[in-house]
Each structure stands twice: as C-alpha cells, then as structure tokens.
Amino acid sequence: MMETSFDSLRITGVKINYFFICKRKLWLFDRGIQMEQESERVLLGKLLDEYSYPRKKRRRVTIDDLIAIDLVEGDTVREVKYSKVFEKASIMQIGYYLFYLKGLGINKKGIISYPRLRKSKEVVLTDEMISELKEAMKGIEEVLTMPSPPVAEKKPYCRKCAYFEFCFG
Amino acid sequence: MQSYYLLCSGTLKRNENTLLVEKSDGEKKVIPIENIDSIHVFGQMNFNKELLVFLAREGKPLHIYNYYGNYSGTFLPRDKNVSGELLVRQVEHYLDPQKRFFLALAFVEGAMFHAKRNLREYSGTEPFIQKIEEELDKAYSATSIAELMGCEGRAKEIYYQAFNLFLKEEFYFEKREKRPPSNPVNALISFGNSLIYTTILSECYRTQLNPTISYLHEPRERRFSLCLDLAEIFKPLIADPLVFRLINTGLITKDDFDQDLNGCYLNDRGKEKFLKAFDQKLKTTIKHRRLKRKVSYRTILRLECYKLIRHLLGDEVYAPFKAWW
C-alpha cells in the first residue's frame, strides 16, 4: 500500500494548519499568493511569538525546512498562538510536528500556549491523531493538485482573514 | 496608510526608524514609516543609499517626477511578493490570443464606461456618447489587438472632443497632445494620468502581479504596461472628473501654469492644488457592495489587481470595475 510520505509532498506545519481552516487559503498560499504582509493581525501574531517567553533559549527550531517549532524545551515542543479560535487546526499542526519528529525517532509532547489568555494545552500524539494526520496529508495533496483555487465560501471568520478582500472584493 | 507628495526641496533621509524631511528653509518633518503607502518626489530632493535600503526593507516605493511633473521613474524595492505560478499564468493569458483579447477588451470596456459616465453629467454630449458607443460596438467584434486599439483610440478622441462643451471657455481644448502638453487642459490630463499610473504601480507592487506583462498595451513598451492597462479604467473615473472640477470651480486658473517653448505645465502652486484634490479623492470611500464595508478609491485599485489575479488563476472571470453610483 502506498503511504503518503513526507518527502514527496513537502508539507509544512502551516499547510496542515490551513487545511483545517480554509482549503482555498491553503491553495493560494502554496502558489505564493500571500496576503499576510498586509494584515495587522498577522503582525500581532508575529510580535507575540517574538516577545513571549524571552528567557527560553531554543526558539524557532526549523527541521528539514518543513516544520518550524516555536520553542523546544526538554521533552516538549511548544507552539505559541494568539487565540483559541482555531484550536483544532493548532492541535493538528503541533500533532504534525510530533508525528514528524516521531518519524525521526524523537518522541516529544506538545504544548499549545496562549500567552494572552495565560493558558496552555497539552497535545499527545495518539494513534487516532496519526490516522487523522495521514488523512489530512492526502487531503492536502488533493487540494494542491487542483488547477484553480477551491471556490471561496463565506464563513463567519472570513471577515478577519488577510485574504478577505482577495476572496470577496 | 497614505501617499506623501513632496513638492518642497531639501533632504529626505532615514532618521532611526522614521523618515525625515528636511526642507531647505530648515523646517523638519517626521513621517512614521508605517503611515506611508508610497512617496512621490516632485521637488529637488537629496537622498542617500541608507534611505533606499530603509525603504526597501519596509517595501515602500519611491516615485520620482521631473521638473515638469512628468513621471521619471520609481525606486521599486526588492519584490517580496513573488509567485512563479501567477507569472506563468500571466504569460499564458498574453500568449493565447483569445485570452489576451478578452482582457484587453475588458480594459477598453471599463475605460469607455467611465468616459461615457463622465459625459453624461453634462448636457449636449449625447452625440458624443453615441459615437463612443459605436466605437465600442466595433471593439466587440474586432479580431486583433491592433484593431481594438484603433477603436479605443478613436473613442478617446471623441471623448476629449466633448470637453469643450462643458469646460470654461478660457480653457478651450483643441485636441489631446501629450509630448509636450500644448495647453492647460492637456497639462492637467497628463498630470492626472501619471498620478493614476504611479498609484496603480504602488498597489500592484503589493500583490504578486508582474507589472510588465500586459494585455491591451504591448509588454514591449519598456514600461510597467500592466499598470497602463489598469490605468485606462481609472483615468476617467478618478483623474478626469478632478480636472473638470478644478477648472469649472475656478480652483485652478491660468496662473497655475507655466508656458514655454517646451509646452504647458502646472507650476508648483498648480501641482499643489491638484495633488491635494487627488489625494482627497483617493481617500474618499464608497460602500463596497460585495465586501459590505467602506473602501477608498485606493483600495478599489488594489481590489482590481486582486480581480485580475482571480481571473488568471481560473477562479473568477474578470469584469472591469464599473462605478455603480
């Protein structure tokens, strides 16, 4: 049986995240149609990432140019998020990091941190999550091989997205 | 974010993480970099490499105009918005004659829509509108870009001919002349058009579009010809009504021009008046029907770039912007 492999797809953590938020954004982002530099919210997220946990040393660890972990400490990897709105997507993103590391023979736990909310959430890689991630990887491949972007569908959170004016203007 | 138009002379430099304008009379003005959309330099300005590096880092274009107010060039910072995919599709739509014609016609259609809309504001222009419509009809059945360009050129000539019906008598206007502009109306139109062009270039730069690949104009023109294409739609929407208003309200008078052997040009006072009105116009907002939020004319220019991208990506068929109010 053919397994979806990490190598042929070059799936980044961001793509996993986008897959669970908006497939159209995933497609556009993959083709270099990026809007993030225009968005104030994205800038806020970046600043948050930069200025939270100033005492931690291992920040933004990039592996194989595919996964970029915000913080590594002991047996945990940490992803810093601005809000809980897309929690499912965040869980799958960090789950993907754990899955990827596991493939390299490294076992870690994940933590999603919400510094603004003073909360965090632990993520453990389960078999169930692994199969869900494999499904997602197949799904991403399907989206990215489409010749045109998936049709825009208006969702409640579209209005705050950096792509809002692109999709609906 | 806004455009800064510098008519003064002096020095433009980086000051920590802001921009500093030092006028030759010693007056200093600080502009926070975040507020800047683009900078337009009309006066005699000195600047150095440090400034350009700073502008590049912040992705802010610097447009330069010569003594006469004509566009000279742009310092366009290193492009961070690159999409190979979009470039390939832009080229695909140029190389395929049918696809190219579709877009070229759309730009002409948008241009003529706004031209007719301007004329409709004034009485006695019906015969001109009708003649423009005839040219537009011919454009629809044209079989080549050259033929389309012919229709567009004739339609525009008719459009300009109608100006004498409603412009103040002292601004009588024989025909459109660009190099050099022969009289005040030509000078105003040229000035307005170059501002539209640079504003579109600034907006284009914030997208992944390659400004050199165009459809109505030939990409061979050694200019950012995609901006020329898009400018066609917006010159009669944004710039021309300004010209009419400035003349007919007496805001601009004959004293605002310098005339010499090289033609007729706005002097500094005239440029200032025009730029003020132009900037105000760009900031004017309209309730966008699809976005259901207020957008400025400047944003409408950006949205037009987005529409073109959507068309090129096979997402949504392009239709030129047509003012609905």
Side-chain angles (χ1 to χ4, degrees):
Chain A
M1 192 185 90
M2 273 281 284
E3 280 245 356
T4 310
S5 79
F6 289 112
D7 282 350
S8 66
L9 280 175
R10 305 286 302 163
I11 293 175
T12 61
V14 173
K15 286 183 187 168
I16 295 276
N17 187 285
Y18 285 1
F19 178 75
F20 286 96
I21 295 172
C22 177
K23 304 204 170 25
R24 181 177 167 88
K25 185 170 174 171
L26 168 67
W27 192 96
L28 291 166
F29 176 82
D30 178 64
R31 309 296 159 109
I33 311 294
Q34 295 173 4
M35 303 281 146
E36 281 74 7
Q37 72 283 357
E38 292 294 326
S39 158
E40 237 169 76
R41 292 179 73 82
V42 175
L43 185 68
L44 287 174
K46 248 188 208 151
L47 288 174
L48 179 79
D49 180 32
E50 234 166 86
Y51 291 108
S52 42
Y53 307 104
R55 288 184 300 272
K56 300 278 197 284
K57 282 200 187 101
R58 305 199 56 199
R59 308 165 67 88
R60 274 176 292 284
V61 180
T62 306
I63 298 166
D64 294 345
D65 268 340
L66 281 186
I67 64 173
I69 301 166
D70 287 345
L71 287 166
V72 183
E73 41 180 339
D75 62 344
T76 60
V77 293
R78 194 187 284 265
E79 173 74 14
V80 181
K81 289 285 180 204
Y82 198 76
S83 91
K84 269 191 169 175
V85 178
F86 299 113
E87 185 151 50
K88 167 76 179 177
S90 308
I91 293 173
M92 295 313 286
Q93 184 182 351
I94 200 160
Y96 180 70
Y97 295 165
L98 300 175
F99 182 40
Y100 195 94
L101 290 172
K102 192 186 163 103
L104 300 175
I106 305 163
N107 287 306
K108 298 239 185 240
K109 267 191 325 197
I111 296 174
I112 307 173
S113 282
Y114 303 100
R116 286 172 67 246
L117 310 171
R118 306 195 176 282
K119 279 190 179 143
S120 56
K121 183 182 174 72
E122 205 179 277
V123 178
V124 181
L125 188 66
T126 58
D127 289 345
E128 202 184 323
M129 193 182 277
I130 291 176
S131 58
E132 205 176 342
L133 280 166
K134 284 182 179 165
E135 279 302 306
M137 289 162 78
K138 261 188 248 161
I140 289 171
E141 188 176 16
E142 269 168 40
V143 172
L144 296 189
T145 49
M146 287 169 67
S148 301
V151 178
E153 286 170 56
K154 212 168 202 162
K155 296 179 188 124
Y157 46 81
C158 284
R159 291 191 82 81
K160 288 184 178 174
C161 175
Y163 287 75
F164 179 68
E165 291 186 336
F166 178 83
C167 290
F168 301 105
Chain B
M1 287 224 273
Q2 65 177 85
S3 297
Y4 286 83
Y5 303 92
L6 307 175
L7 283 157
C8 55
S9 50
T11 307
L12 183 64
K13 61 181 188 188
R14 177 182 178 171
N15 180 28
E16 311 261 321
N17 280 328
T18 56
L19 218 60
L20 181 68
V21 187
E22 264 179 18
K23 292 189 193 171
S24 29
D25 62 8
E27 196 189 325
K28 287 182 183 181
K29 198 182 177 225
V30 171
I31 311 170
I33 194 82
E34 295 82 12
N35 289 357
I36 299 171
D37 175 90
S38 54
I39 302 163
H40 300 250
V41 181
F42 291 91
Q44 279 304 327
M45 275 284 170
N46 292 315
F47 40 75
N48 58 17
K49 180 188 146 185
E50 195 191 354
L51 175 87
L52 297 181
V53 171
F54 181 50
L55 292 175
R57 195 188 81 188
E58 302 292 331
K60 311 292 182 188
L62 178 82
H63 304 294
I64 297 171
Y65 303 79
N66 68 10
Y67 170 76
Y68 298 108
N70 292 333
Y71 175 66
S72 294
T74 299
F75 172 65
L76 203 58
R78 176 172 69 92
D79 206 344
K80 289 174 194 157
N81 287 322
V82 281
S83 167
E85 171 95 18
L86 188 64
L87 177 63
V88 168
R89 304 238 190 169
Q90 265 188 269
V91 175
E92 178 201 344
H93 280 253
Y94 170 75
L95 291 175
D96 181 320
Q98 265 179 331
K99 287 179 177 166
R100 177 177 175 191
F101 189 84
F102 177 87
L103 284 171
L105 180 62
F107 297 137
V108 172
E109 211 188 343
M112 288 309 128
F113 177 88
H114 292 123
K116 286 189 294 171
R117 183 172 173 271
N118 284 345
L119 296 189
R120 221 169 278 134
E121 294 280 308
Y122 302 95
S123 56
T125 53
E126 293 79 11
F128 293 90
I129 295 177
Q130 206 186 333
K131 277 198 241 165
I132 292 176
E133 266 159 12
E134 282 163 22
E135 288 303 333
L136 198 54
D137 276 342
K138 279 187 230 158
Y140 284 118
S141 49
T143 50
S144 68
I145 297 285
E147 213 181 310
L148 177 64
M149 278 292 234
C151 300
E152 190 260 353
R154 284 191 300 274
K156 218 180 248 171
E157 234 170 82
I158 299 163
Y159 169 61
Y160 287 127
Q161 274 164 19
F163 281 21
N164 284 336
L165 287 177
F166 51 83
L167 288 183
K168 263 191 188 168
E169 222 170 300
E170 58 187 297
F171 281 89
Y172 183 79
F173 169 70
E174 205 163 315
K175 63 177 202 287
R176 179 82 179 107
E177 280 165 333
K178 299 173 195 169
R179 284 180 220 108
S182 51
N183 63 19
V185 179
N186 272 312
L188 287 168
I189 296 172
S190 291
F191 193 65
N193 287 351
S194 45
L195 288 175
I196 294 283
Y197 171 77
T198 48
T199 309
I200 289 178
L201 178 57
S202 296
E203 292 308 312
C204 225
Y205 173 70
R206 307 208 180 279
T207 74
Q208 289 77 16
L209 285 172
N210 182 308
T212 63
I213 298 169
S214 56
Y215 305 97
L216 178 60
H217 296 81
E218 280 295 339
R220 286 175 229 136
E221 286 184 50
R222 284 177 296 167
R223 285 190 283 176
F224 293 127
S225 39
L226 183 63
C227 303
L228 295 174
D229 280 5
L230 288 168
E232 292 300 337
I233 303 171
F234 295 102
K235 288 188 298 198
L237 176 71
I238 298 173
D240 296 348
L242 275 184
V243 174
F244 307 157
R245 187 162 61 84
L246 289 172
I247 290 179
N248 287 342
T249 58
L251 219 61
I252 283 219
T253 64
K254 284 266 171 97
D255 295 338
D256 293 315
F257 299 88
D258 285 341
Q259 191 119 28
D260 64 19
L261 289 172
N262 285 324
C264 180
Y265 296 95
L266 277 162
N267 59 28
D268 275 359
R269 206 179 40 184
K271 278 181 212 154
E272 200 174 324
K273 287 179 187 172
F274 195 104
L275 286 168
K276 211 167 182 178
F278 183 79
D279 195 50
Q280 253 172 13
K281 183 94 178 180
L282 278 187
K283 285 181 185 155
T284 308
T285 59
I286 296 107
K287 176 89 182 266
H288 193 280
R289 291 188 296 185
R290 277 175 76 187
L291 291 173
K292 297 200 172 56
R293 53 168 83 148
K294 281 188 163 183
V295 296
S296 63
Y297 274 96
R298 175 185 289 286
T299 306
I300 287 174
L301 300 182
R302 173 89 57 92
L303 295 179
E304 204 64 9
C305 297
Y306 288 163
K307 273 161 62 182
L308 194 54
I309 296 176
R310 293 206 297 269
H311 177 83
L312 298 169
L313 293 179
D315 184 38
E316 190 184 292
V317 177
Y318 176 77
F321 184 80
K322 288 181 180 173
W324 56 79
W325 57 90

